[in-house]
């Protein structure tokens, strides 16, 4: 059985390949991912992701969410993906990683 932290890092590495097409930074470094958790049921494992969007009217929301769901197909240890979109707390640039702020010239 794989260690949860190793599994979390696998998921994060795939999240880091998903970009908002309007912002040249991946959704993980943008701070759009609030929670990554795992739930085991029988011999199966579900990844639960809580995320937000830069705005409630984000024009690429469906595409971003679909890409997050697809991680279940990319990580062998995950059988199912659950994605919850939340707007509380609302996203702000303060949630961005140092690397993201540096890349966008905000530092």
């Amino acid at each position: 059985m794989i260690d949860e932290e190793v599994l979390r890092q696998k998921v994060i590495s795939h999240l880091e390949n998903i970009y908002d097409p309007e912002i040249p930074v991946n959704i993980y470094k943008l701070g759009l991912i609030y929670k990554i958790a795992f739930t085991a049921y029988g011999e199966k494992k579900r990844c639960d992701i809580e995320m937000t969007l830069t705005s409630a009217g984000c024009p690429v929301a469906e595409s971003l969410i679909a890409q997050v769901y697809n991680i279940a197909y990319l990580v062998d240890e995950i059988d199912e993906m659950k994605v919850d979109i939340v707007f509380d707390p609302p996203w702000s640039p303060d949630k961005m990683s140092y690397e993201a702020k540096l890349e966008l010239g905000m530092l």
Side-chain angles (χ1 to χ4, degrees):
M1 182 160 208
I2 191 166
D3 177 87
E4 261 193 33
E5 189 51 38
V6 171
L7 187 53
R8 180 180 320 282
Q9 290 306 313
K10 282 186 171 188
V11 170
I12 290 170
S13 73
H14 288 289
L15 289 168
E16 289 178 330
N17 289 317
I18 302 172
Y19 286 78
D20 181 319
E22 297 177 338
I23 306 171
V25 176
N26 69 64
I27 64 171
Y28 188 76
K29 288 184 179 173
L30 271 178
L32 298 181
I33 305 301
Y34 287 171
K35 179 178 150 187
I36 301 170
F38 301 97
T39 303
Y41 53 101
E43 292 187 18
K44 298 191 177 212
K45 189 168 288 242
R46 181 181 74 215
C47 179
D48 301 295
I49 292 188
E50 188 174 286
M51 67 178 287
T52 194
L53 303 167
T54 53
S55 69
C58 177
V60 295
E62 287 183 31
S63 170
L64 293 178
I65 296 164
Q67 291 178 70
V68 174
Y69 272 110
N70 284 336
I71 292 172
Y73 299 109
L74 302 171
V75 179
D76 291 337
E77 298 84 2
I78 296 174
D79 300 291
E80 181 183 336
M81 180 70 73
K82 179 181 176 209
V83 180
D84 290 321
I85 304 298
V86 298
F87 292 101
D88 188 28
W91 180 85
S92 73
D94 294 340
K95 299 199 179 311
M96 294 168 57
S97 70
Y98 175 83
E99 294 89 357
K101 290 177 182 175
L102 188 61
E103 194 169 326
L104 293 173
M106 298 174 70
L107 294 176

